[in-house]
Amino acid sequence: MFTNAPKTICIFFLFFAFTVNGQTSSFAKDSLKLESLIDGMDTFYKDPFHYRNTIPKAYQLVNKMLQKHPENIELKRKRTHISDLYFTFKRQELNFEEGLKILLENIQERKELKDSCELSKSYRDLGVFWRIQKNYKKSLEFIDESYKIAKECKDEKSLVRTLASYGIYYHVLGEYDKAKDYFLQALQLSKKINYTGGIANSSWSIYRIYSLKKDYKNGLPYLKKAEEGFKKTQNISSLEKITAAYGSYYRKSGKPQKAIPYFKQAIDYNLKLKDSSRLMYRYLGISNAYVQLKDYKNAYYNYLNYKGLQKKIDNKKHYRKLVEIETRMAYKNQKALDSIHFAQQKTLDEQKIKQKANSRFWWVVASLSFIVLLIGIAYWVNRQRIREQAYQNILLNKKVATKTEEIQELLNETMKHIRSKEKIASNLQKISREEGGNLQSVIADLKASKADDTKLLLIKENIEKINFEFLKSLKAKHPNLTKTEIEVCSFIKMGLSRKEIAEVRGTSDFAVKTMRNRIRKKIGIDSSITLNNYLNSL
């Protein structure tokens, strides 16, 4: 039953090998064909007629190859370079819809490939595109972006081309002095880096500014410099511009008969190049030359050709269609990006789920540790605060105790003084009874003194009872007060007058006044507030 199995397996592997070999062979053939189509593409201006035929074929072929090998980075890069030239041809043909589509795809692909420096050319082309459509605001935005990228990448040739784009932009707007400044900057940089193409193009643009001002004396040297550069580079497209420039020069110099052959040659160039944007102005130039010769039939014929091309460019419906294409392409590109991002996001999401599962436990542990740490810190801070408060209370209690001892000592001295006076008064009374009334007045004075001393004793005895909380608050707010000043504050708090305080302390009224002023300064109360009121508020 299984005798034919080895033979079947062999046939299968042979078929597989031929299939793979066939695919490899097909890719190699396509690659060789592609290389032959784009060979020398960087100098396409030497033979634009050839590349106008080969570039569309190369574009179709590279797209076909990428359908089979969508991950081939080298093929994608080749497609972006082919697209640059293909867009130029479509723009020259006034096929703006297809040109815009190619250019937007080109920009998107360069972003995906992260060829950021190459984007300078793409944005510059987009600026040219919108300038032709007379959307000058949009045009300037893309030229700005091109300049920014060229500067970041230090691409001096790209900077020259972008400076020239600024010049053309301001030339179209009629700001000729500003345009000339940009062309001169481009010329100076081209000379610095020995860039023949840049020197030729910048010189040509400067000549155009002078020709508009009919200053041919200063302009012709730049025209000759441009012609010399274009001949060196063999740039047929640019030589067409020189031919047209000589036609304009002779026409404006009053020599229309000499101008017409140059315009005819320029028209012939553009018909072969299929550059409708330039062709339009060549028709206008030759039409004006025929008007000067009063050959109105040929003038009218060429003018109709000019208007026909101009209408094609200015068609508003056509412009709206371009905007629609741009929007549709932007959506398509975004959708493509979204699908790429989705695949990347899916991988990232799976990684994130694993990371979350792995890190959630540690996050919980870290959170709990942090909470415990916070509780520990709060507990330690609270304990420190309680200890500090207890320490301050001990210090305050010691101060109160010291003050209490001082008051007690003062009371003891006062009591001794009163008892001494009482004893003297008693002895003198005995003597008075025995020896007569000579001492009656002395006894009366001593009794009066006793009454005063008793009053003082009562006042001092109440200091500690009445003022305990007051003393505590006063010392806490004003720790810089001396013991004597605190005692005086206590008397003021009790309502004693300055004179009474002087009697209690056994000092002068002036001394008490001085003490009050010193207390006011230390406490730092406003002059509108009395010391009595402030102390009573504590």
Side-chain angles (χ1 to χ4, degrees), residues 373-412:
L373 180 63
L374 285 178
I375 292 169
I377 290 169
Y379 176 75
W380 181 81
V381 170
N382 190 49
R383 277 187 63 83
Q384 290 295 108
R385 188 179 60 78
I386 292 168
R387 285 178 182 176
E388 182 64 25
Q389 188 64 43
Y391 177 69
Q392 291 295 331
N393 288 339
I394 290 167
L395 288 178
L396 188 59
N397 289 335
K398 283 182 179 180
K399 288 180 181 179
V400 172
T402 302
K403 187 62 185 174
T404 304
E405 289 174 5
E406 289 174 359
I407 293 170
Q408 190 61 46
E409 188 179 344
L410 183 62
L411 289 171
N412 291 337

Side-chain angles (χ1 to χ4, degrees), residues 13-145:
F13 277 113
L14 283 169
F15 175 77
F16 178 76
F18 278 119
T19 304
V20 171
N21 186 54
Q23 288 178 350
T24 305
S25 177
S26 174
F27 181 79
K29 285 179 182 177
D30 287 341
S31 297
L32 288 171
K33 186 177 178 181
L34 181 64
E35 289 301 323
S36 68
L37 288 170
I38 64 174
D39 183 41
M41 184 177 65
D42 291 341
T43 55
F44 76 95
Y45 47 79
K46 292 182 180 180
D47 191 2
F49 312 112
H50 168 72
Y51 291 104
R52 191 170 286 281
N53 292 321
T54 62
I55 289 301
K57 294 175 184 177
Y59 187 73
Q60 289 175 2
L61 180 58
V62 77
N63 283 336
K64 179 184 171 184
M65 292 171 74
L66 277 167
Q67 284 176 356
K68 294 178 182 178
H69 309 278
E71 301 304 319
N72 192 310
I73 302 299
E74 189 58 35
L75 269 180
K76 287 183 178 180
R77 285 206 166 91
K78 281 183 181 178
R79 180 164 64 180
T80 61
H81 292 300
I82 293 166
S83 297
D84 286 334
L85 191 51
Y86 197 28
F87 162 75
T88 301
F89 291 148
K90 289 296 178 184
R91 175 176 60 79
Q92 289 172 349
E93 295 166 9
L94 303 184
N95 189 346
F96 296 118
E97 294 93 337
E98 195 171 344
L100 181 59
K101 181 182 175 183
I102 291 165
L103 184 53
L104 292 174
E105 286 176 347
N106 178 299
I107 290 169
Q108 189 58 44
E109 192 151 54
R110 278 181 168 150
K111 285 180 179 178
E112 288 173 12
L113 293 170
K114 297 181 180 178
D115 290 344
S116 54
C117 290
E118 295 293 331
L119 280 168
S120 177
K121 177 174 176 13
S122 301
Y123 283 128
R124 189 168 60 249
D125 285 342
L126 204 51
V128 171
F129 176 86
W130 287 115
R131 188 193 73 229
I132 293 168
Q133 303 304 316
K134 298 183 180 180
N135 189 332
Y136 299 116
K137 183 180 177 183
K138 214 167 192 178
S139 173
L140 186 60
E141 285 175 5
F142 288 115
I143 296 171
D144 285 340
E145 190 64 29

Side-chain angles (χ1 to χ4, degrees), residues 97-243:
E97 294 93 337
E98 195 171 344
L100 181 59
K101 181 182 175 183
I102 291 165
L103 184 53
L104 292 174
E105 286 176 347
N106 178 299
I107 290 169
Q108 189 58 44
E109 192 151 54
R110 278 181 168 150
K111 285 180 179 178
E112 288 173 12
L113 293 170
K114 297 181 180 178
D115 290 344
S116 54
C117 290
E118 295 293 331
L119 280 168
S120 177
K121 177 174 176 13
S122 301
Y123 283 128
R124 189 168 60 249
D125 285 342
L126 204 51
V128 171
F129 176 86
W130 287 115
R131 188 193 73 229
I132 293 168
Q133 303 304 316
K134 298 183 180 180
N135 189 332
Y136 299 116
K137 183 180 177 183
K138 214 167 192 178
S139 173
L140 186 60
E141 285 175 5
F142 288 115
I143 296 171
D144 285 340
E145 190 64 29
S146 173
Y147 183 80
K148 179 184 172 184
I149 294 169
K151 202 159 190 178
E152 285 174 357
C153 295
K154 297 180 181 178
D155 186 344
E156 291 180 313
K157 282 190 176 182
S158 189
L159 277 173
V160 168
R161 294 175 188 130
T162 309
L163 286 168
S165 292
Y166 276 121
I168 295 168
Y169 172 83
Y170 287 110
H171 185 176
V172 170
L173 291 180
E175 297 182 38
Y176 301 126
D177 290 336
K178 203 167 185 178
K180 184 182 169 185
D181 285 342
Y182 278 109
F183 291 137
L184 286 169
Q185 286 180 54
L187 179 60
Q188 187 178 4
L189 183 56
S190 297
K191 287 178 178 177
K192 180 184 172 185
I193 62 176
N194 197 26
Y195 177 27
T196 305
I199 293 169
N201 278 302
S202 302
S203 299
W204 154 251
S205 298
I206 294 167
Y207 162 75
R208 288 182 68 201
I209 300 293
Y210 280 116
S211 68
L212 286 167
K213 296 178 179 181
K214 297 183 179 179
D215 184 359
Y216 296 108
K217 182 180 178 181
N218 289 314
L220 279 174
Y222 286 104
L223 180 60
K224 289 176 181 177
K225 190 76 176 172
E227 185 177 13
E228 180 187 332
F230 291 139
K231 282 180 179 178
K232 279 183 184 178
T233 58
Q234 300 176 23
N235 191 325
I236 294 175
S237 177
S238 297
L239 283 170
E240 180 278 331
K241 293 191 293 187
I242 299 297
T243 304

Side-chain angles (χ1 to χ4, degrees), residues 179-411:
K180 184 182 169 185
D181 285 342
Y182 278 109
F183 291 137
L184 286 169
Q185 286 180 54
L187 179 60
Q188 187 178 4
L189 183 56
S190 297
K191 287 178 178 177
K192 180 184 172 185
I193 62 176
N194 197 26
Y195 177 27
T196 305
I199 293 169
N201 278 302
S202 302
S203 299
W204 154 251
S205 298
I206 294 167
Y207 162 75
R208 288 182 68 201
I209 300 293
Y210 280 116
S211 68
L212 286 167
K213 296 178 179 181
K214 297 183 179 179
D215 184 359
Y216 296 108
K217 182 180 178 181
N218 289 314
L220 279 174
Y222 286 104
L223 180 60
K224 289 176 181 177
K225 190 76 176 172
E227 185 177 13
E228 180 187 332
F230 291 139
K231 282 180 179 178
K232 279 183 184 178
T233 58
Q234 300 176 23
N235 191 325
I236 294 175
S237 177
S238 297
L239 283 170
E240 180 278 331
K241 293 191 293 187
I242 299 297
T243 304
Y246 278 116
S248 295
Y249 167 69
Y250 285 121
R251 184 181 66 78
K252 291 176 183 178
S253 299
K255 301 174 183 178
Q257 196 66 47
K258 270 192 171 185
I260 287 172
Y262 283 104
F263 281 124
K264 283 183 176 179
Q265 189 179 354
I267 288 168
D268 188 50
Y269 268 130
N270 284 305
L271 286 170
K272 290 176 181 177
L273 291 167
K274 296 183 181 179
D275 191 343
S276 300
S277 57
R278 285 187 188 175
L279 182 61
M280 176 177 72
Y281 293 107
R282 306 307 176 243
Y283 279 129
L284 181 63
I286 199 170
S287 175
N288 289 332
Y290 277 122
V291 168
Q292 284 178 287
L293 291 171
K294 296 183 180 179
D295 184 350
Y296 299 113
K297 184 179 178 181
N298 281 316
Y300 182 67
Y301 170 75
N302 284 285
Y303 183 74
L304 286 177
N305 288 333
Y306 161 72
K307 291 300 290 183
L309 291 171
Q310 186 186 48
K311 188 178 180 181
K312 191 173 180 181
I313 292 174
D314 292 342
N315 192 307
K316 290 183 180 179
K317 289 182 180 178
H318 167 73
Y319 176 78
R320 282 198 296 270
K321 193 173 181 182
L322 292 177
V323 175
E324 287 171 9
I325 289 171
E326 184 186 36
T327 307
R328 191 162 57 250
M329 285 302 301
Y331 172 76
K332 184 180 176 183
N333 290 333
Q334 188 59 49
K335 195 173 179 182
L337 271 180
D338 288 344
S339 63
I340 293 168
H341 292 328
F342 177 76
Q344 293 173 344
Q345 192 63 43
K346 188 177 178 182
T347 306
L348 287 172
D349 288 343
E350 288 173 357
Q351 291 175 353
K352 283 179 182 178
I353 290 167
K354 289 177 183 178
Q355 287 174 356
K356 283 181 181 178
N358 191 36
S359 64
R360 189 170 293 165
F361 170 76
W362 294 110
W363 184 87
V364 172
V365 170
S367 299
L368 290 173
S369 300
F370 182 68
I371 292 167
V372 170
L373 180 63
L374 285 178
I375 292 169
I377 290 169
Y379 176 75
W380 181 81
V381 170
N382 190 49
R383 277 187 63 83
Q384 290 295 108
R385 188 179 60 78
I386 292 168
R387 285 178 182 176
E388 182 64 25
Q389 188 64 43
Y391 177 69
Q392 291 295 331
N393 288 339
I394 290 167
L395 288 178
L396 188 59
N397 289 335
K398 283 182 179 180
K399 288 180 181 179
V400 172
T402 302
K403 187 62 185 174
T404 304
E405 289 174 5
E406 289 174 359
I407 293 170
Q408 190 61 46
E409 188 179 344
L410 183 62
L411 289 171

